[in-house]
Amino acid sequence: MNGFRLLLPIAALSLRRRWLAFVGSFVALALGVAVMSAAGVLLNTTMGEDSLPGAPSLHKLVSFMAAMAGFVSVFVVSSTFAFAVAQRRQETAMLRAVGATPRQVRSLILGEALVVALAAAVSGCAIGLAVAPVIASWLVDQGAAPSGFHSEPAVLPLLLAASGGLAVALLGAYTASRRAGRVRPVEALNEVAVDKKVMPAVRWVAAVLFLGVFGYTLQTFISMPASMMADPQSRDPQTTPQWALLFDVMAVLAIVLVAPVLVPPLVRLFTGLVPLLPGAAGLVARQNALAAIRRTVSTATPVFLVIGLAGSVVGGTVAFSDAMAAQGRAALRAGYVVEPSGGAPALPADALRNLAALPDATLTTAATVRFDGLALPDQRPARGRPADLPIPEDGLAVDGDLRAAWNLSTEDGSLEDLRGKTVAVSGDMAKVFGWHVGDTLDARLADGTHEQLRLVAVVHHLLPQLPEIVVPREAAPGATAVSVAYLGTGAGPEQVAAALGGAARATAGADWIGAHNDRTTKNGWIAMLAILGPALLYALIAIVNTMMMSTGDRLRDFATLRLTGGTRRQVMRVVAAETLVVVATAAALGLIVTLLTQYATVLLIENRILETDRSAAFDLPWGTLAGATAVCLALALVSSLIPARLALRVRPLDLAAGRQ
């Protein structure tokens, strides 16, 4: 205890002297807690909140936002605090040299981290309360939340965010303090710090574990067990890109954990031509990056998160959108899709008669029907499997031959039998409830009537343009308002328009699929931006923060270069070259994780969206990867060169002595 009391003045002096490193840790944690608390407050507000029709579930959207914010914050905060401790290697060795025990060193470091973390957590909660209303207003403006949606301050989300940030910060500091406590006193005499054993066994085990979870998560989404399909939004192809974020995160985790192994060969690769260049700046930058692997990994982590997440999410979103559009175009057989115009609730009967009178016309009309329930009579729920619809669900009541409108393959049964008191459902719905062709289902309609419907067809795949339940018109007598009609005819567009007489609008099939896909894609991009936006903004700020911390740690290196004859310009070249190496290494890691997640996305698309005889294209989002890399490079150069330039105004002897 007496030894720890003697270290308190040293801790106070260290906090004052190394304020730049502690400011960096403070900023990282404060912003991390701010992002998590804002997302937590919004998540608490969405409990019981209704989503807009056609928009993704607001509660699930904000849940993903909170999870992504926490994921990025954990990496940045833990990496920043560990880096701040690693910066003090020589100082720790000096404490060991004057008699400090490993336990005292750990206590000192954890005490400093606790003071900084407490102040940052309180500040972060205050920032989060200010940011949450801004995010809520943006969600309303984009149509992802109903009008009037707003954030409501709550104590629990703030406490969870603050305690989570504190735990991550202290865990990162504790892990680094254990390494610091093992520093030999003789290292106080050593001016050169070369990182060794940067990949302990625990990190290897964690990396393998997350790779295993990545594979398991992907396989789970491909096979989609019935217990998971029970949630209609889980099996909805429009929400698949959001669920795919789970295996994206697992891949990012695995690559981050093995980064200390991947960074050295990547640095050697990107600096392989350095000996051919004039001057020594590139060579010095190469050796600095290789000698201080922990610093290189810490500064590269937020850059990698931005590039890797942007590439994975954008690539996946584009691939899913293209696949759903291609599947829709292949499935729609009708030449025209006719819908009400001018906000009318239904197609007028006169317009339908005129369409049916067109040359070679095949007309299939459909009305929306609400099912309050659809189940096998007296069936009890099996373990992990529901017996009835969990929520009211819209179906389609069809008058005419559905096969003339849509080219739908079936897993069992035939759409030719969809006549009278019958029903067809999606393969996923049949799997969820354990239904088979020939079963008689008790249908409870929204108007209170009951119908006994025989299951005659199980459709192979979901389409975002169609509901999961289709019945003939006679099976739902109350569904009389025709909401859409599918027309096949030899008449031209002018004749079709004349037949409608302005009472409705007819859209060519391919154009209708394109417009529907545009709406779906817009909702998908809004969801992705809501989920990733706060996290990526935080990661971009973290790039500036970690680069400034890294530059502040290099002041003695700058002094050494100046005292050995280097000019200010040459020192700036070293800083720029090392920054380029860090960003290039992070971009390579981002490319690796994008390759991995894009391959997983293609597998998921081919098994969950496309027909079995169709394949998805393997395309990388090169534009997104290049744009994210350029933004990160610009931020990294500015945040490293400006502090270096300011530091070089101080005399080299003062820098070497630590007087700034």
Side-chain angles (χ1 to χ4, degrees), residues 269-287:
L269 173 65
F270 291 124
T271 58
L273 298 177
V274 163
L276 303 179
L277 300 177
L283 184 60
V284 173
R286 169 191 172 98
Q287 295 308 118

Side-chain angles (χ1 to χ4, degrees), residues 550-584:
S550 176
T551 303
D553 188 47
R554 304 287 308 285
L555 300 184
R556 285 195 173 186
D557 294 345
F558 298 162
T560 301
L561 290 173
R562 292 291 310 282
L563 291 172
T564 55
T567 64
R568 286 191 178 93
R569 179 173 294 180
Q570 289 173 325
V571 174
M572 295 292 286
R573 286 178 182 173
V574 170
V575 175
E578 193 168 346
T579 302
L580 286 171
V581 169
V582 168
V583 174

Side-chain angles (χ1 to χ4, degrees), residues 217-502:
T217 305
L218 175 61
Q219 181 57 38
T220 300
F221 277 98
I222 289 176
S223 59
M224 192 71 75
S227 58
M228 186 176 178
M229 284 187 190
D231 181 2
Q233 290 222 352
S234 295
R235 61 180 186 264
D236 185 351
Q238 297 184 81
T239 61
T240 304
Q242 298 169 37
W243 290 108
L245 281 174
L246 295 177
F247 62 71
D248 289 348
V249 167
M250 293 301 108
V252 170
L253 280 166
I255 298 300
V256 165
L257 287 170
V258 298
V261 174
L262 299 176
V263 164
L266 288 173
V267 170
R268 293 188 181 94
L269 173 65
F270 291 124
T271 58
L273 298 177
V274 163
L276 303 179
L277 300 177
L283 184 60
V284 173
R286 169 191 172 98
Q287 295 308 118
N288 283 339
L290 290 174
I293 293 299
R294 285 195 179 94
R295 183 178 66 202
T296 304
V297 171
S298 296
T299 52
T301 294
V303 180
F304 162 68
L305 288 174
V306 171
I307 298 173
L309 286 174
S312 298
V313 173
V314 171
T317 302
V318 171
F320 281 116
S321 176
D322 291 346
M324 285 188 284
Q327 182 69 6
R329 286 192 294 269
L332 184 61
R333 181 172 287 173
Y336 296 92
V337 178
V338 184
E339 297 171 301
S341 61
L347 291 171
D350 292 344
L352 294 176
R353 283 193 293 269
N354 292 339
L355 292 176
L358 290 172
D360 302 321
T362 56
L363 186 66
T364 303
T365 63
T368 300
V369 56
R370 172 63 62 94
F371 288 87
D372 286 340
L374 187 65
L376 288 170
D378 303 323
Q379 183 188 26
R380 294 183 178 181
R383 184 176 180 181
R385 185 193 299 268
D388 202 350
L389 299 179
I391 56 174
E393 188 160 338
D394 286 338
L396 210 61
V398 177
D399 187 6
D401 190 354
L402 183 64
R403 295 171 300 168
W406 293 92
N407 180 25
L408 302 176
S409 60
T410 57
E411 296 178 2
D412 195 10
S414 173
L415 290 173
E416 185 179 359
D417 299 326
L418 194 64
R419 300 185 301 271
K421 302 293 185 178
T422 59
V423 62
V425 300
S426 72
D428 285 348
M429 181 172 278
K431 183 179 179 180
V432 167
F433 298 105
W435 299 335
H436 301 90
V437 169
D439 288 342
T440 298
L441 305 180
D442 178 22
R444 302 186 305 279
L445 304 182
D447 59 6
T449 61
H450 282 249
E451 297 286 347
Q452 300 297 309
L453 306 179
R454 182 169 56 90
L455 182 60
V456 296
V458 175
V459 181
H460 183 64
H461 270 297
L462 289 172
L463 284 171
Q465 300 87 2
L466 284 177
E468 294 188 80
I469 306 171
V470 180
V471 296
R473 178 66 63 83
E474 53 265 36
T480 56
V482 177
S483 56
V484 64
Y486 303 100
L487 174 67
T489 178
E494 295 81 5
Q495 290 177 280
V496 173
L500 293 173

Side-chain angles (χ1 to χ4, degrees), residues 55-321:
S57 166
L58 182 59
H59 182 70
K60 284 188 173 64
L61 181 65
V62 179
S63 298
F64 275 115
M65 181 195 300
M68 185 60 66
F71 163 71
V72 173
S73 300
V74 164
F75 270 101
V76 173
V77 171
S78 60
S79 177
T80 302
F81 270 78
F83 180 37
V85 176
Q87 285 179 316
R88 304 169 58 188
R89 183 184 185 90
Q90 191 179 35
E91 179 183 328
T92 303
M94 292 184 67
L95 290 174
R96 296 280 286 117
V98 297
T101 65
R103 182 177 180 180
Q104 288 173 328
V105 171
R106 289 196 298 269
S107 299
L108 175 64
I109 292 173
L110 286 175
E112 294 169 349
L114 180 60
V115 172
V116 175
L118 283 172
V122 173
S123 302
C125 288
I127 298 172
L129 285 175
V131 170
V134 178
I135 299 176
S137 176
W138 181 84
L139 290 173
V140 173
D141 292 341
Q142 297 301 315
S147 178
F149 174 70
H150 62 282
S151 65
E152 297 178 359
V155 175
L156 182 59
L158 299 179
L159 287 177
L160 290 176
S163 58
L166 280 171
V168 171
L170 293 178
L171 182 61
Y174 175 74
T175 303
S177 71
R178 287 180 59 85
R179 290 195 301 268
R182 292 193 294 266
V183 172
R184 295 175 301 169
V186 72
E187 293 188 34
L189 304 176
N190 188 3
E191 292 291 336
V192 181
V194 178
D195 290 332
K196 298 178 181 179
K197 296 182 180 179
V198 293
M199 195 68 185
V202 174
R203 192 160 183 149
W204 276 115
V205 171
V208 173
L209 174 65
F210 280 116
L211 277 176
V213 174
F214 167 77
Y216 174 78
T217 305
L218 175 61
Q219 181 57 38
T220 300
F221 277 98
I222 289 176
S223 59
M224 192 71 75
S227 58
M228 186 176 178
M229 284 187 190
D231 181 2
Q233 290 222 352
S234 295
R235 61 180 186 264
D236 185 351
Q238 297 184 81
T239 61
T240 304
Q242 298 169 37
W243 290 108
L245 281 174
L246 295 177
F247 62 71
D248 289 348
V249 167
M250 293 301 108
V252 170
L253 280 166
I255 298 300
V256 165
L257 287 170
V258 298
V261 174
L262 299 176
V263 164
L266 288 173
V267 170
R268 293 188 181 94
L269 173 65
F270 291 124
T271 58
L273 298 177
V274 163
L276 303 179
L277 300 177
L283 184 60
V284 173
R286 169 191 172 98
Q287 295 308 118
N288 283 339
L290 290 174
I293 293 299
R294 285 195 179 94
R295 183 178 66 202
T296 304
V297 171
S298 296
T299 52
T301 294
V303 180
F304 162 68
L305 288 174
V306 171
I307 298 173
L309 286 174
S312 298
V313 173
V314 171
T317 302
V318 171
F320 281 116
S321 176

